Amino acid sequence: MAATQTRPADSYSPIYFLASLGAGGITVTFFMFLMFWVPHPAAPVPVFEDIAAAWSSGSLPMQAGIAIAVVGIAYFAFLNIKSLIWNLNAYAAFKRTPAYETLRNSNAESTLLAMPLAMAMTVNALFIVGLVFVPKLWSIVEYLFPMAMVAFALIGWIAFRLIGEFLGRVLSKGGLFDVTAHNSFAQLTPAFAIAMVAVGFSAPAAMSTAPATVAVSLIASTVLGVIAILYTILAATTAVTSMLHYGTAREAGPTLMIIVPIVTVLGIMFIRQDHGLHTTFDAHGNAGETMVFLARLLSIQVAFLGLGAVVLKAQGYFNDFVIGSKTSPGSYALVCPFVAFSVMMQFFINKGLVAADVVTKFGTAYWVVTAIAIASQLVAVWLVLRLNRQHFSKSAAVAVPAE
């Protein structure tokens, strides 16, 4: 008998793309510090020059916030890209195995959409890295927007091709979709992928000054956003019916909270679109409307966070797959809800409460509610570090029969 060391991630699943996605999402949570704490009068987002000016003239708390944000962005962007590269290599090898063909002929075929989902997040993370670390990037940003939309279009093509193959297979004739295995929200992964591409397309609407670029951004993101909403409603409705009948699939339990990141991504898309309509096409909203809109989105998120927590606690999921010794790639689906809730809270606080003069920026009430966002962010950070250690560390020596 020969002995070798293995790690859970050696048994590859496309769900591991969520490891890259989670790290990229945490990059966004650290950018929120800069977005809402660093003055950026010349641009809709903070850039290298704004950050440098705030560092040189800011107070010690401002410098501490900037330092934490910059280090967090650098580390988790690196982790995001590293994980994406590992996944792409592992996925290429996985496609040459019988397990891949088995997956392509099961309900789990939809998990392949985790790949374009993670790729779209990486594009967003790279844009953040450019804003924070590249001097004078804003001077050429109008040239970058079309390039970014081309990248998102290519990722969208990959996503729709995979969705088309899946739906073409299961809807062309009956009996190819296992309803008994539809007892989770795993089938919402395609909707999440489309929504992530949509929010990427919406960025130029909020930041570009070229009317043609803004118009393309608005239209493309609207089309993708509406498709994501329709897909979410249909997939979630049918999944609830299956869950009520068969119970929630235990290892897919975290997907019950996938609605939370979908809501955040689409919410940011709507905010970006609203900004583009205001600055380019003279369509006006007001801070009160934005505050109520964001409150409605938060209400949906709180509902599904509560639903997920109740079911996962009843199943003992955390004790087994997070704190305990068992591993499941689906555990990475826990990261996104906490990331998404943190980001949405930051928007609600700053674009809603502060903009509507409900709370004073940097006042006591401001930090009380901001603490909720930071707490959710810290949970996401802990989950990524914990799960990476569980899934990508070598396990104890396992006996393997000698040839």
Side-chain angles (χ1 to χ4, degrees):
M1 300 287 286
T4 186
Q5 285 190 324
T6 61
R7 57 185 185 175
D10 291 333
S11 299
Y12 184 73
S13 165
I15 299 174
Y16 275 116
F17 275 104
L18 297 184
S20 174
L21 176 71
I26 293 175
T27 302
V28 177
T29 65
F30 281 106
F31 184 69
M32 292 296 99
F33 294 2
L34 305 177
M35 178 73 181
F36 296 121
W37 300 350
V38 172
H40 44 95
V45 290
V47 296
F48 176 86
E49 289 75 15
D50 298 318
I51 299 166
W55 175 268
S56 62
S57 62
S59 62
L60 183 60
M62 173 66 78
Q63 291 178 334
I66 292 173
I68 293 170
V70 169
V71 171
I73 290 169
Y75 177 75
F76 284 99
F78 168 77
L79 207 59
N80 164 257
I81 297 168
K82 176 185 175 182
S83 182
L84 180 65
I85 293 171
W86 177 86
N87 269 283
L88 291 173
N89 289 331
Y91 177 69
F94 177 69
K95 289 181 69 175
R96 298 190 292 269
T97 67
Y100 175 74
E101 291 303 321
T102 301
L103 182 144
R104 289 299 297 262
N105 290 284
S106 69
N107 290 20
E109 183 179 5
S110 62
T111 63
L112 296 178
L113 272 296
M115 175 180 62
L117 171 60
M119 294 170 68
M121 173 56 82
T122 298
V123 175
N124 288 319
L126 287 174
F127 189 71
I128 288 174
V129 169
L131 292 175
V132 174
F133 295 104
V134 180
K136 299 183 179 180
L137 182 72
W138 200 252
S139 63
I140 60 168
V141 74
E142 291 295 348
Y143 300 99
L144 297 179
F145 289 141
M147 295 171 59
M149 287 194 287
V150 169
F152 282 115
L154 292 173
I155 295 170
W157 177 80
I158 295 172
F160 279 110
R161 187 189 66 181
L162 292 172
I163 293 171
E165 291 173 352
F166 174 63
L167 294 181
R169 179 177 66 81
V170 300
L171 296 179
S172 59
K173 59 180 72 173
L176 298 179
F177 187 81
D178 185 0
V179 178
T180 65
H182 186 33
N183 53 338
S184 72
F185 279 172
Q187 294 301 326
L188 271 68
T189 306
F192 191 7
I194 298 170
M196 188 64 73
V197 176
V199 75
F201 259 110
S202 69
M207 292 182 269
S208 177
T209 57
T213 301
V214 174
V216 171
S217 172
L218 286 170
I219 295 169
S221 60
T222 296
V223 171
L224 292 166
V226 169
I227 293 173
I229 292 170
L230 291 174
Y231 203 115
T232 298
I233 294 172
L234 292 173
T237 302
T238 54
V240 168
T241 302
S242 184
M243 283 188 285
L244 290 173
H245 189 76
Y246 301 105
T248 303
R250 190 160 187 256
E251 289 198 32
T255 63
L256 291 176
M257 296 186 284
I258 196 175
I259 295 290
V260 179
I262 291 175
V263 166
T264 288
V265 167
L266 292 176
I268 293 173
M269 182 196 75
F270 288 128
I271 292 171
R272 286 174 168 178
Q273 289 179 334
D274 183 69
H275 185 80
L277 288 169
H278 167 67
T279 58
T280 305
F281 298 106
D282 202 31
H284 298 281
N286 61 62
E289 292 173 344
T290 300
M291 180 181 65
V292 173
F293 169 70
L294 293 173
R296 290 167 181 162
L297 298 185
L298 274 175
S299 301
I300 297 171
Q301 291 184 322
V302 170
F304 280 94
L305 282 170
L307 172 65
V310 167
V311 174
L312 291 175
K313 181 180 179 181
Q315 292 180 330
Y317 187 92
F318 289 99
N319 290 335
D320 285 345
F321 295 105
V322 180
I323 301 173
S325 58
K326 295 182 181 180
T327 59
S328 170
S331 299
Y332 279 100
L334 290 169
V335 178
C336 289
F338 290 100
V339 166
F341 185 71
S342 175
V343 172
M344 182 54 69
M345 277 296 299
Q346 290 280 16
F347 273 92
F348 173 66
I349 294 163
N350 293 279
K351 292 292 187 180
L353 299 179
V354 173
D357 293 325
V358 176
V359 300
T360 302
K361 191 165 187 176
F362 302 142
T364 302
Y366 179 88
W367 289 117
V368 169
V369 287
T370 298
I372 300 173
I374 294 175
S376 185
Q377 176 189 22
L378 292 175
V379 172
V381 170
W382 178 82
L383 280 169
V384 165
L385 299 179
R386 168 68 179 174
L387 294 174
N388 282 353
R389 187 165 62 251
Q390 279 185 313
H391 289 261
F392 292 92
S393 297
K394 296 289 185 180
S395 65
V398 178
V400 178
E403 291 291 339

